[in-house]
Amino acid sequence: MKFNAAREALLKPLQAVIGVVERRQTMPILSNVLIIVKGGQLAVTATDLEVELVAQAEVDSESDGEITVSGRKLLDICKALPEGTRVDISLSGEKLSVKGGRSKFNLATLPAAEFPVVEDIKAGQTIGVSQESLGRLIEKTHFSMAQQDVRYYLNGMLLETGGSHLRAVATDGHRLALCQADVAGASFDEQQVIVPRKGVLELQRLMDGDGDLNIELGANHIRIQLEGIRFTSKLIDGRFPEYERVIPKESSNELKADRSEFKNALQRTAILSNEKYRGIRLVIRDSGVILQAHNPEQEEAEEELAVEYSGEDIEIGFNVNYLLDALGAVEGDDVTLSVQDSNSSCLIRQPGNDDCTFVVMPMRL
């Protein structure tokens, strides 16, 4: 194997895949990337056995071949070389030689045959959607995914297809975020898959362009082809909760506020909330809403906010971070909060837009 390319042409695929290369691995080969050169095309593959990324670039190749080498070391070498440097890479024996300008590096390798790759995912259906739509679904829901919950099926995002819609749902048991996109003229089979947290965050990092993409859904994997990058992730094997039962009905106790003002008031009040539980009390009346917080040091914060409200007087507590995350995801200038009573979940939406729904459970203060 022997090829050369501009430093920048090598950096791009290495930076695209490095996110899944684990620093501390039980299997040494998983800290390596698989390099395949064939007919002037370079493919760089990284995996942690859950998420696999393959990035491609064009190179000038003298001879084809494949090998695995430390992903971080190769990336660090390319980063450290001066801009515009031409990099020559060749394999001799069990060492990979990297030359750039006056610098020369010899890296240890492991055989390509030992590198685990996902070949055919046996896709049951392929969904065409715009990158913008999928990016929006992830952006509006990812923050509600659980982290290291024993209910492993919550440590990811539900993707649901049916009819002409693609829906994303995430919940950690204390809050829920739902967002859906309708694809004009499409007809999808009904299917639910749970994409693991790491896969969702990696996909969010990769999506920065326009254009359309195809989502392939298999029994155990999801695969998405982006521009120059192929993303494959294992699916979580489990049954997602019946989320529609968690979403409360619209209530006559509905508060409408300026989203930005409400968010800023919450952030100010939260300064004196309990650092561990992050609780904040909302006292909701016709005259407006009072935000209150206190902490173990006997410090208190209170702020009044003018809102539109028609309904019963309610005092209710929430984790302020959950409210702020939901308000951050709501589009538009205004936001509505709907709540039945002080023990019920709060429904948060943009007025007149049912695409995105956020639910936050109350907390005792």
Side-chain angles (χ1 to χ4, degrees), residues 76-360:
D76 288 345
I77 287 169
C78 289
K79 274 184 179 175
L81 290 171
E83 281 184 33
T85 303
R86 199 81 194 163
V87 184
D88 290 290
I89 296 179
S90 59
L91 182 64
S92 56
E94 293 184 357
K95 288 281 192 285
L96 189 74
S97 167
V98 181
K99 294 178 186 173
R102 296 181 179 180
S103 307
K104 183 180 178 183
F105 308 87
N106 285 318
L107 295 171
T109 63
L110 287 169
E114 293 178 16
F115 195 85
V117 291
V118 184
E119 296 292 351
D120 182 15
I121 68 162
K122 297 182 174 64
Q125 72 167 325
T126 301
I127 295 161
V129 67
S130 71
Q131 205 176 133
E132 184 185 359
S133 293
L134 183 60
R136 180 171 176 264
L137 293 187
I138 295 173
E139 183 195 343
K140 302 295 179 192
T141 57
H142 76 277
F143 53 83
S144 289
M145 292 186 292
Q147 293 187 54
Q148 298 176 324
D149 198 296
V150 290
R151 297 163 295 180
Y152 58 92
Y153 47 83
L154 298 184
N155 300 320
M157 184 184 80
L158 176 76
L159 263 187
E160 182 182 76
T161 61
S164 64
H165 80 256
L166 178 64
R167 181 178 288 177
V169 187
T171 178
D172 59 8
H174 303 288
R175 52 168 167 183
L176 178 145
L178 178 155
C179 189
Q180 75 174 36
D182 283 300
V183 184
S187 179
F188 304 135
D189 298 336
E190 287 193 10
Q191 189 174 355
Q192 285 192 339
V193 299
I194 307 172
V195 185
R197 178 186 177 83
K198 182 166 184 180
V200 173
L201 299 179
E202 209 44 56
L203 192 53
Q204 185 184 31
R205 184 181 72 84
L206 293 171
M207 293 214 303
D208 60 353
D210 301 320
D212 296 332
L213 51 82
N214 284 331
I215 304 171
E216 296 177 51
L217 298 177
N220 303 308
H221 293 87
I222 179 172
R223 175 167 281 173
I224 298 173
Q225 183 68 52
L226 297 143
E227 192 180 342
I229 301 168
R230 191 184 74 190
F231 165 93
T232 308
S233 172
K234 275 187 176 175
L235 297 171
I236 293 176
D237 183 19
R239 187 166 176 78
F240 203 77
E242 292 183 36
Y243 62 87
E244 288 182 333
R245 290 170 55 184
V246 178
I247 300 171
K249 299 278 189 286
E250 295 273 1
S251 167
S252 56
N253 300 327
E254 188 175 271
L255 174 157
K256 184 179 177 184
D258 179 287
R259 186 179 71 91
S260 179
E261 282 183 12
F262 194 17
K263 192 175 169 187
N264 292 339
L266 283 170
Q267 286 170 331
R268 287 191 292 271
T269 313
I271 293 167
L272 297 187
S273 68
N274 184 311
E275 286 182 15
K276 186 176 180 183
Y277 299 109
R278 304 293 287 160
I280 196 162
R281 179 183 279 110
L282 273 61
V283 182
I284 308 169
R285 302 195 178 104
D286 285 347
S287 55
V289 62
I290 300 170
L291 311 175
Q292 298 173 334
H294 58 84
N295 61 31
E297 286 80 48
Q298 308 296 317
E299 296 169 324
E300 295 178 355
E302 183 172 299
E303 176 146 358
E304 286 190 45
L305 190 67
V307 297
E308 292 177 33
Y309 181 67
S310 57
E312 303 165 15
D313 290 0
I314 292 175
E315 284 193 28
I316 189 166
F318 293 107
N319 179 315
V320 69
N321 291 350
Y322 296 169
L323 288 181
L324 288 170
D325 283 343
L327 288 174
V330 169
E331 296 165 347
D333 297 331
D334 296 325
V335 62
T336 61
L337 279 73
S338 172
V339 63
Q340 292 282 1
D341 54 51
S342 57
N343 298 313
S344 300
S345 296
C346 176
L347 186 68
I348 302 173
R349 279 181 172 156
Q350 177 190 356
N353 182 352
D354 294 339
D355 279 357
C356 296
T357 299
F358 308 96
V359 179
V360 179

Side-chain angles (χ1 to χ4, degrees), residues 27-43:
M27 292 170 62
I29 199 153
L30 294 184
S31 62
N32 282 11
V33 292
L34 171 65
I35 293 175
I36 300 175
V37 177
K38 194 173 181 180
Q41 280 288 327
L42 167 71

